[in-house]
Structure formats: structure tokens, C-alpha cells
Amino acid sequence: MEGGESSSSFPMGESAQERGLSHVPEYYAIPTSHRPSLNPETADVPVIDLVGFRDSSSRRSVTVNDIGNACRRYGFFQIVNHGIDQFVLDGALSSAFDFFSLPTEEKSKLMSNDVHNPVRYATSLKDGVDKIQFSRAFLKHYAYPLEDWVKSWPENPPAYREHMGRYAAEVRKLALEIMEAITESLGIGAKYLSNKMEKGMQVMALNCYPPFPQPGLALGVPPHSDHSCLTILLQSTTGLEILDTEDGKWRAVPELKGTLQVLVGDHVEVLSNGRYKSVVHRATLHKERTRISIASLHSLGMDEKMETAKELVDEEHPKGYKESSFRDFLNLLAKNDIAEGKGFIETLKIQY
């Protein structure tokens, strides 16, 4: 690690990951107690076959029950037979790799620290602002309704809009299906949120974690839970770790070809009155390889408030959360360094 440099030394677009530095600037090093293991334990997380959910027989109820158990225990599960063709997955990942391989000046056309911007490129969390920087570059853009937003997506690489648009449309259909399974597993009915989710937000977050000279000193993304109802993650290789709330240990999510990861977000925790917890996760780094992940975040509309289902509130389970919207989260993010402060979900918990 090299000393004497502060995060303000590098303006936007000239961070360590953009410049490919061979050493670790001081402001990338996280506190010793929070550093990742280079040989983490593997998480024993459920792998759920969605073929059963689409079956009209008893297999559907078994799958719904499995999803409910995964949400309760981990806030996380992997899915197979999800219905998205491997060609579509590969096209999305290839387009993401191609975008991040563009010259910095091309990507910088989209550069912004404004979290309210519907299309923006940046590095770390907030370039030149956060006290600790994180080794990633990212592109975020709104994706629903697709026809409204796709014209504002990157023009380069040339096939980006086609390939990412195809994946965005497919993964959104999948997300609506999984949300039905989640609300059904809560006992409030498969269609409980369907109308609101169908009109809701979809944000695509593409993350690039370049090779890092000393991966045990830093992180790609700090521990956090997602503000969405749920996130569906497609990744090129391993690097996702989840926090096991039972023993407080970080465990690596194993690599299974063709799977997608489903992460329970803060708004499902609110909806369920805490029966299901949003999963705390982070991204680790690798010394020699680049990792790409594509997170599709799904929530209610920008100003639609998520509130706890009344059916899940009683004397034994008093209402535990305030209502909030997607915009409320963005406003919090704009004013705070999430690597230092409480997560969004902590601001929503009601103290009795």
C-alpha cells in the first residue's frame, strides 16, 4: 500500500481502477477488521428450480414454500430453469464487458455523481467524495418502460442497447414472477403487489471489478442491502459474499453455471414486517481477473410508498417499519456516505 495520497488526488475518471495502478492507494484500504478473507467459506444457499413454480400441481406449492424458507433464512437464493436463454445472458454480459472496455473519455460522457440521474457512469460510490474508495466502475440506468429509456442508454458499443434491452425485458418478467411467489409464500396472495410491481421501477446496475493488486486490503462494494423489493443478479464469475446473520460470518456464493442470484431487498423486509430480511452482501476483488455483474433492481414506482402488509401485523407482531419510496432512498443516498453510516433499512425501523 502506498501512502501520502488522498481520494481527492484523483478526480472523476482518474481513479485507480480507471488508471490501472499496480499499487493500492491508501484510501482504498478498509479497516483491518472489515477486510475480506482470501479463502472464504462457501455459503450453503438454496438452489431453487423454477420449473416447479410454473407447474399447476403440488410442485408449485412446494416451490413457493422453498422460496419462503430461503427468504426467511438467508434473504437470498439461486435459481435454475429460470427461463432466460443462455444466449440472452451471454449477450448481456458481453455487452457489459464491451462497455467497460471503452476508452475512459467515451464512458466519461455519462459520468455523474448525481444519484437522481437516470443514466450515469461512475467509479467507487461517489468519486472523490467518499473517504474510502471502492474498486469498481459502474453504469446505472433505468429500464422500464424500456421504450422510454433505451434511447438514453449508451450508443457504444453498437449492440449494447439491443442485447441489454433483451435481457432487461426478460429479467423483468422473471422478477414479477418471483415477487408473486414471495407474496404467496407470506400468505397474502400471489397477486398482492402485482399491479404496483407491473408499473414499478427497474434499474439496471452494471458493475465492473477490475483486477486488484492486493485483494485482501479492499472491497469492490461495501456491505449493504438493496433498497429494492428484490434484485436479480447475473455475474461473470464469483465475488459475491453474503452475511450469515446466524453466526455473523461472510460466506462466498458458489459459482453455478446458468444460475441467477435473487437478493431480498429492504422493501420486502418492510412488506413482510421483518419475517423476511434483506440480505447484507458485498463484492470482493481478484488479483488477476475482471468480474462483471449485472444487477436488475425491481421496486414499486418512484414515489409509491411500500408499507407493511396489514395482514402481517397483530399483537404478537406489531408494525415494525415506516413506509418509504424509491425516491426516499435516493434522497438518503445523496446526503450520506453509505459505507460509513446506517443502511437504509435501519432508518425505517420503528423503535418502541
Side-chain angles (χ1 to χ4, degrees):
M1 186 176 73
E2 303 257 338
E5 295 172 303
S6 69
S7 61
S8 59
S9 299
F10 299 145
M12 288 201 309
E14 296 186 24
S15 58
Q17 58 268 40
E18 287 286 351
R19 304 195 325 172
L21 298 184
S22 59
H23 65 273
V24 180
E26 183 177 343
Y27 55 86
Y28 278 87
I30 60 176
T32 305
S33 59
H34 296 164
R35 292 177 183 175
S37 168
L38 295 179
N39 295 290
E41 295 180 30
T42 300
D44 182 21
V45 293
V47 179
I48 293 174
D49 189 336
L50 286 190
V51 166
F53 180 68
R54 300 180 177 122
D55 199 319
S56 59
S57 70
S58 59
R59 290 174 65 195
R60 176 187 169 92
S61 60
V62 171
T63 304
V64 167
N65 187 60
D66 288 344
I67 288 174
N69 287 337
C71 291
R72 188 177 298 107
R73 170 65 181 86
Y74 298 98
F76 178 90
F77 53 96
Q78 298 191 88
I79 48 175
V80 295
N81 291 320
H82 40 68
I84 302 181
D85 192 275
Q86 189 65 43
F87 169 80
V88 176
L89 303 181
D90 292 344
L93 283 172
S94 176
S95 292
F97 270 106
D98 289 346
F99 172 80
F100 288 114
S101 297
L102 291 172
T104 297
E105 52 269 26
E106 178 72 18
K107 292 178 287 189
S108 295
K109 295 175 183 177
L110 300 170
M111 189 159 264
S112 173
N113 264 346
D114 182 359
V115 300
H116 294 91
N117 195 328
V119 181
R120 69 186 186 103
Y121 170 77
T123 56
S124 187
L125 295 174
K126 295 177 188 171
D127 292 293
V129 176
D130 296 325
K131 293 178 182 177
I132 295 177
Q133 294 284 298
F134 297 92
S135 184
R136 74 158 176 169
F138 68 86
L139 172 68
K140 290 185 178 180
H141 51 62
Y142 293 0
Y144 183 80
L146 185 61
E147 61 272 16
D148 290 355
W149 293 112
V150 70
K151 297 182 186 68
S152 62
W153 291 6
E155 294 181 347
N156 287 315
Y160 180 88
R161 293 177 179 179
E162 177 189 352
H163 291 162
M164 198 60 65
R166 184 184 298 123
Y167 174 67
E170 290 288 317
V171 77
R172 182 175 180 273
K173 289 188 287 186
L174 178 61
L176 296 177
E177 192 175 24
I178 293 172
M179 272 304 299
E180 289 190 356
I182 289 174
T183 57
E184 186 174 339
S185 72
L186 284 167
I188 55 178
K191 300 297 182 181
Y192 188 87
L193 280 180
S194 292
N195 288 338
K196 291 182 178 180
M197 289 297 297
E198 285 169 5
K199 300 171 186 174
M201 298 283 297
Q202 179 184 12
V203 180
M204 306 295 290
L206 287 67
N207 303 290
C208 177
Y209 305 99
F212 197 81
Q214 292 175 274
L217 295 182
L219 287 171
V221 171
H224 68 286
S225 58
D226 290 344
H227 57 273
S228 55
C229 291
L230 61 86
T231 300
I232 298 179
L233 188 74
L234 168 65
Q235 56 182 352
S236 64
T237 186
T238 54
L240 175 66
E241 291 188 354
I242 60 175
L243 182 65
D244 190 324
T245 54
E246 290 196 351
D247 61 13
K249 288 186 177 181
W250 286 100
R251 291 190 170 88
V253 173
E255 185 169 19
L256 296 170
K257 180 68 173 174
T259 62
L260 292 170
Q261 284 72 42
V262 179
L263 294 83
V264 171
D266 294 339
H267 275 167
V268 163
E269 181 169 335
V270 170
L271 173 73
S272 71
N273 205 22
R275 286 166 171 78
Y276 297 168
K277 295 291 196 294
S278 54
V279 62
V280 177
H281 54 286
R282 67 184 185 184
T284 59
L285 303 167
H286 194 274
K287 188 173 184 178
E288 297 169 349
R289 67 172 180 238
T290 295
R291 173 176 173 256
I292 296 286
S293 71
I294 304 174
S296 183
L297 295 93
H298 302 266
S299 66
L300 305 186
M302 176 66 79
D303 294 300
E304 182 79 44
K305 300 281 189 180
M306 174 63 84
E307 56 185 334
T308 299
K310 295 177 177 60
E311 297 85 344
L312 302 177
V313 177
D314 54 35
E315 288 187 8
E316 289 186 23
H317 305 91
K319 183 179 177 181
Y321 301 84
K322 306 169 193 172
E323 61 181 29
S324 70
S325 67
F326 186 91
R327 192 183 302 277
D328 291 333
F329 168 77
L330 291 180
N331 291 339
L332 178 83
L333 186 61
K335 297 174 183 175
N336 294 275
D337 181 351
I338 65 168
E340 288 192 326
K342 289 182 177 180
F344 181 53
I345 192 67
E346 297 302 319
T347 69
L348 303 179
K349 292 180 179 177
I350 296 173
Q351 303 298 325
Y352 287 98

mmCIF file of all heavy atoms in Angstrom, residues 86-110:
data_model
loop_
_atom_site.group_PDB
_atom_site.id
_atom_site.type_symbol
_atom_site.label_atom_id
_atom_site.label_comp_id
_atom_site.label_asym_id
_atom_site.label_seq_id
_atom_site.Cartn_x
_atom_site.Cartn_y
_atom_site.Cartn_z
ATOM 1 N N GLN A 86 -29.538 -18.932 -22.383
ATOM 2 C CA GLN A 86 -28.123 -18.641 -22.140
ATOM 3 C C GLN A 86 -27.583 -17.644 -23.160
ATOM 4 O O GLN A 86 -26.714 -16.824 -22.841
ATOM 5 C CB GLN A 86 -27.305 -19.936 -22.191
ATOM 6 C CG GLN A 86 -25.867 -19.783 -21.731
ATOM 7 C CD GLN A 86 -25.747 -19.419 -20.247
ATOM 8 O OE1 GLN A 86 -26.453 -19.974 -19.412
ATOM 9 N NE2 GLN A 86 -24.865 -18.483 -19.919
ATOM 10 N N PHE A 87 -28.118 -17.671 -24.346
ATOM 11 C CA PHE A 87 -27.711 -16.712 -25.380
ATOM 12 C C PHE A 87 -27.997 -15.274 -24.932
ATOM 13 O O PHE A 87 -27.199 -14.363 -25.175
ATOM 14 C CB PHE A 87 -28.461 -17.019 -26.684
ATOM 15 C CG PHE A 87 -28.334 -15.950 -27.730
ATOM 16 C CD1 PHE A 87 -27.194 -15.859 -28.516
ATOM 17 C CD2 PHE A 87 -29.353 -15.026 -27.932
ATOM 18 C CE1 PHE A 87 -27.062 -14.867 -29.482
ATOM 19 C CE2 PHE A 87 -29.234 -14.032 -28.892
ATOM 20 C CZ PHE A 87 -28.086 -13.959 -29.676
ATOM 21 N N VAL A 88 -29.130 -15.068 -24.262
ATOM 22 C CA VAL A 88 -29.501 -13.736 -23.775
ATOM 23 C C VAL A 88 -28.585 -13.325 -22.622
ATOM 24 O O VAL A 88 -28.124 -12.178 -22.557
ATOM 25 C CB VAL A 88 -30.975 -13.709 -23.348
ATOM 26 C CG1 VAL A 88 -31.354 -12.352 -22.748
ATOM 27 C CG2 VAL A 88 -31.883 -14.027 -24.540
ATOM 28 N N LEU A 89 -28.309 -14.256 -21.712
ATOM 29 C CA LEU A 89 -27.398 -13.968 -20.596
ATOM 30 C C LEU A 89 -26.010 -13.617 -21.111
ATOM 31 O O LEU A 89 -25.396 -12.631 -20.665
ATOM 32 C CB LEU A 89 -27.312 -15.182 -19.658
ATOM 33 C CG LEU A 89 -28.606 -15.715 -19.050
ATOM 34 C CD1 LEU A 89 -28.298 -16.898 -18.132
ATOM 35 C CD2 LEU A 89 -29.359 -14.638 -18.291
ATOM 36 N N ASP A 90 -25.514 -14.425 -22.050
ATOM 37 C CA ASP A 90 -24.171 -14.176 -22.591
ATOM 38 C C ASP A 90 -24.113 -12.846 -23.338
ATOM 39 O O ASP A 90 -23.105 -12.131 -23.271
ATOM 40 C CB ASP A 90 -23.771 -15.324 -23.528
ATOM 41 C CG ASP A 90 -23.548 -16.637 -22.800
ATOM 42 O OD1 ASP A 90 -23.395 -16.616 -21.566
ATOM 43 O OD2 ASP A 90 -23.539 -17.694 -23.473
ATOM 44 N N GLY A 91 -25.183 -12.500 -24.043
ATOM 45 C CA GLY A 91 -25.219 -11.238 -24.771
ATOM 46 C C GLY A 91 -25.154 -10.046 -23.834
ATOM 47 O O GLY A 91 -24.466 -9.051 -24.119
ATOM 48 N N ALA A 92 -25.855 -10.135 -22.701
ATOM 49 C CA ALA A 92 -25.831 -9.049 -21.730
ATOM 50 C C ALA A 92 -24.445 -8.896 -21.121
ATOM 51 O O ALA A 92 -23.907 -7.779 -21.027
ATOM 52 C CB ALA A 92 -26.872 -9.308 -20.632
ATOM 53 N N LEU A 93 -23.837 -10.008 -20.698
ATOM 54 C CA LEU A 93 -22.506 -9.943 -20.100
ATOM 55 C C LEU A 93 -21.473 -9.444 -21.110
ATOM 56 O O LEU A 93 -20.611 -8.629 -20.780
ATOM 57 C CB LEU A 93 -22.091 -11.320 -19.566
ATOM 58 C CG LEU A 93 -22.725 -11.750 -18.242
ATOM 59 C CD1 LEU A 93 -22.373 -13.205 -17.933
ATOM 60 C CD2 LEU A 93 -22.268 -10.845 -17.094
ATOM 61 N N SER A 94 -21.565 -9.917 -22.351
ATOM 62 C CA SER A 94 -20.629 -9.493 -23.387
ATOM 63 C C SER A 94 -20.747 -7.988 -23.639
ATOM 64 O O SER A 94 -19.737 -7.287 -23.772
ATOM 65 C CB SER A 94 -20.903 -10.274 -24.672
ATOM 66 O OG SER A 94 -20.081 -9.822 -25.723
ATOM 67 N N SER A 95 -21.979 -7.477 -23.656
ATOM 68 C CA SER A 95 -22.188 -6.048 -23.871
ATOM 69 C C SER A 95 -21.628 -5.229 -22.721
ATOM 70 O O SER A 95 -21.081 -4.137 -22.917
ATOM 71 C CB SER A 95 -23.675 -5.753 -24.050
ATOM 72 O OG SER A 95 -24.150 -6.302 -25.251
ATOM 73 N N ALA A 96 -21.778 -5.765 -21.500
ATOM 74 C CA ALA A 96 -21.224 -5.072 -20.330
ATOM 75 C C ALA A 96 -19.699 -5.031 -20.402
ATOM 76 O O ALA A 96 -19.087 -3.983 -20.171
ATOM 77 C CB ALA A 96 -21.678 -5.761 -19.051
ATOM 78 N N PHE A 97 -19.076 -6.157 -20.732
ATOM 79 C CA PHE A 97 -17.615 -6.182 -20.883
ATOM 80 C C PHE A 97 -17.176 -5.172 -21.951
ATOM 81 O O PHE A 97 -16.204 -4.430 -21.766
ATOM 82 C CB PHE A 97 -17.141 -7.583 -21.277
ATOM 83 C CG PHE A 97 -16.811 -8.481 -20.118
ATOM 84 C CD1 PHE A 97 -17.658 -9.518 -19.753
ATOM 85 C CD2 PHE A 97 -15.643 -8.301 -19.391
ATOM 86 C CE1 PHE A 97 -17.351 -10.352 -18.687
ATOM 87 C CE2 PHE A 97 -15.323 -9.131 -18.333
ATOM 88 C CZ PHE A 97 -16.185 -10.159 -17.976
ATOM 89 N N ASP A 98 -17.915 -5.146 -23.063
ATOM 90 C CA ASP A 98 -17.554 -4.234 -24.155
ATOM 91 C C ASP A 98 -17.686 -2.776 -23.711
ATOM 92 O O ASP A 98 -16.851 -1.937 -24.081
ATOM 93 C CB ASP A 98 -18.445 -4.491 -25.375
ATOM 94 C CG ASP A 98 -18.125 -5.801 -26.073
ATOM 95 O OD1 ASP A 98 -17.053 -6.390 -25.778
ATOM 96 O OD2 ASP A 98 -18.954 -6.257 -26.898
ATOM 97 N N PHE A 99 -18.722 -2.473 -22.941
ATOM 98 C CA PHE A 99 -18.877 -1.086 -22.480
ATOM 99 C C PHE A 99 -17.708 -0.678 -21.587
ATOM 100 O O PHE A 99 -17.110 0.385 -21.781
ATOM 101 C CB PHE A 99 -20.191 -0.892 -21.724
ATOM 102 C CG PHE A 99 -20.292 0.464 -21.069
ATOM 103 C CD1 PHE A 99 -20.650 1.578 -21.815
ATOM 104 C CD2 PHE A 99 -19.970 0.625 -19.729
ATOM 105 C CE1 PHE A 99 -20.695 2.838 -21.231
ATOM 106 C CE2 PHE A 99 -20.011 1.889 -19.136
ATOM 107 C CZ PHE A 99 -20.373 2.993 -19.893
ATOM 108 N N PHE A 100 -17.379 -1.507 -20.609
ATOM 109 C CA PHE A 100 -16.312 -1.140 -19.676
ATOM 110 C C PHE A 100 -14.935 -1.157 -20.326
ATOM 111 O O PHE A 100 -13.978 -0.605 -19.775
ATOM 112 C CB PHE A 100 -16.353 -2.045 -18.447
ATOM 113 C CG PHE A 100 -17.520 -1.772 -17.535
ATOM 114 C CD1 PHE A 100 -18.522 -2.716 -17.369
ATOM 115 C CD2 PHE A 100 -17.619 -0.570 -16.860
ATOM 116 C CE1 PHE A 100 -19.603 -2.471 -16.533
ATOM 117 C CE2 PHE A 100 -18.691 -0.298 -16.019
ATOM 118 C CZ PHE A 100 -19.695 -1.247 -15.860
ATOM 119 N N SER A 101 -14.826 -1.767 -21.500
ATOM 120 C CA SER A 101 -13.563 -1.778 -22.231
ATOM 121 C C SER A 101 -13.384 -0.535 -23.101
ATOM 122 O O SER A 101 -12.315 -0.335 -23.690
ATOM 123 C CB SER A 101 -13.469 -3.022 -23.130
ATOM 124 O OG SER A 101 -13.480 -4.208 -22.346
ATOM 125 N N LEU A 102 -14.422 0.295 -23.194
ATOM 126 C CA LEU A 102 -14.324 1.517 -23.985
ATOM 127 C C LEU A 102 -13.289 2.466 -23.385
ATOM 128 O O LEU A 102 -13.011 2.414 -22.181
ATOM 129 C CB LEU A 102 -15.686 2.227 -24.029
ATOM 130 C CG LEU A 102 -16.815 1.548 -24.808
ATOM 131 C CD1 LEU A 102 -18.124 2.300 -24.557
ATOM 132 C CD2 LEU A 102 -16.508 1.503 -26.299
ATOM 133 N N PRO A 103 -12.739 3.370 -24.176
ATOM 134 C CA PRO A 103 -11.829 4.383 -23.627
ATOM 135 C C PRO A 103 -12.541 5.219 -22.563
ATOM 136 O O PRO A 103 -13.749 5.465 -22.645
ATOM 137 C CB PRO A 103 -11.486 5.247 -24.853
ATOM 138 C CG PRO A 103 -11.763 4.381 -26.029
ATOM 139 C CD PRO A 103 -12.901 3.491 -25.640
ATOM 140 N N THR A 104 -11.781 5.660 -21.577
ATOM 141 C CA THR A 104 -12.348 6.431 -20.477
ATOM 142 C C THR A 104 -13.100 7.662 -20.968
ATOM 143 O O THR A 104 -14.170 8.000 -20.454
ATOM 144 C CB THR A 104 -11.238 6.864 -19.498
ATOM 145 O OG1 THR A 104 -10.648 5.700 -18.936
ATOM 146 C CG2 THR A 104 -11.795 7.737 -18.381
ATOM 147 N N GLU A 105 -12.567 8.314 -21.988
ATOM 148 C CA GLU A 105 -13.234 9.524 -22.462
ATOM 149 C C GLU A 105 -14.621 9.227 -23.032
ATOM 150 O O GLU A 105 -15.530 10.060 -22.971
ATOM 151 C CB GLU A 105 -12.380 10.246 -23.508
ATOM 152 C CG GLU A 105 -11.905 9.401 -24.670
ATOM 153 C CD GLU A 105 -10.542 8.754 -24.413
ATOM 154 O OE1 GLU A 105 -10.177 8.536 -23.229
ATOM 155 O OE2 GLU A 105 -9.844 8.476 -25.401
ATOM 156 N N GLU A 106 -14.809 8.018 -23.569
ATOM 157 C CA GLU A 106 -16.130 7.634 -24.076
ATOM 158 C C GLU A 106 -17.109 7.385 -22.926
ATOM 159 O O GLU A 106 -18.234 7.874 -22.938
ATOM 160 C CB GLU A 106 -15.997 6.380 -24.960
ATOM 161 C CG GLU A 106 -17.314 5.863 -25.512
ATOM 162 C CD GLU A 106 -17.911 6.746 -26.595
ATOM 163 O OE1 GLU A 106 -17.176 7.571 -27.177
ATOM 164 O OE2 GLU A 106 -19.121 6.619 -26.857
ATOM 165 N N LYS A 107 -16.652 6.647 -21.924
ATOM 166 C CA LYS A 107 -17.519 6.379 -20.760
ATOM 167 C C LYS A 107 -17.807 7.659 -19.987
ATOM 168 O O LYS A 107 -18.900 7.827 -19.421
ATOM 169 C CB LYS A 107 -16.846 5.340 -19.850
ATOM 170 C CG LYS A 107 -16.747 3.953 -20.473
ATOM 171 C CD LYS A 107 -16.030 2.967 -19.572
ATOM 172 C CE LYS A 107 -14.539 3.236 -19.514
ATOM 173 N NZ LYS A 107 -13.788 2.166 -18.807
ATOM 174 N N SER A 108 -16.842 8.555 -19.964
ATOM 175 C CA SER A 108 -16.980 9.779 -19.182
ATOM 176 C C SER A 108 -18.091 10.690 -19.685
ATOM 177 O O SER A 108 -18.526 11.599 -18.966
ATOM 178 C CB SER A 108 -15.658 10.551 -19.153
ATOM 179 O OG SER A 108 -14.667 9.809 -18.458
ATOM 180 N N LYS A 109 -18.568 10.451 -20.901
ATOM 181 C CA LYS A 109 -19.701 11.225 -21.404
ATOM 182 C C LYS A 109 -20.928 11.036 -20.520
ATOM 183 O O LYS A 109 -21.810 11.899 -20.474
ATOM 184 C CB LYS A 109 -20.031 10.799 -22.837
ATOM 185 C CG LYS A 109 -18.950 11.111 -23.861
ATOM 186 C CD LYS A 109 -19.332 10.549 -25.213
ATOM 187 C CE LYS A 109 -18.238 10.788 -26.247
ATOM 188 N NZ LYS A 109 -18.573 10.173 -27.565
ATOM 189 N N LEU A 110 -20.985 9.898 -19.830
ATOM 190 C CA LEU A 110 -22.124 9.571 -18.970
ATOM 191 C C LEU A 110 -21.801 9.757 -17.489
ATOM 192 O O LEU A 110 -22.601 9.395 -16.629
ATOM 193 C CB LEU A 110 -22.561 8.115 -19.213
ATOM 194 C CG LEU A 110 -23.003 7.776 -20.643
ATOM 195 C CD1 LEU A 110 -23.169 6.266 -20.798
ATOM 196 C CD2 LEU A 110 -24.290 8.497 -20.994
#
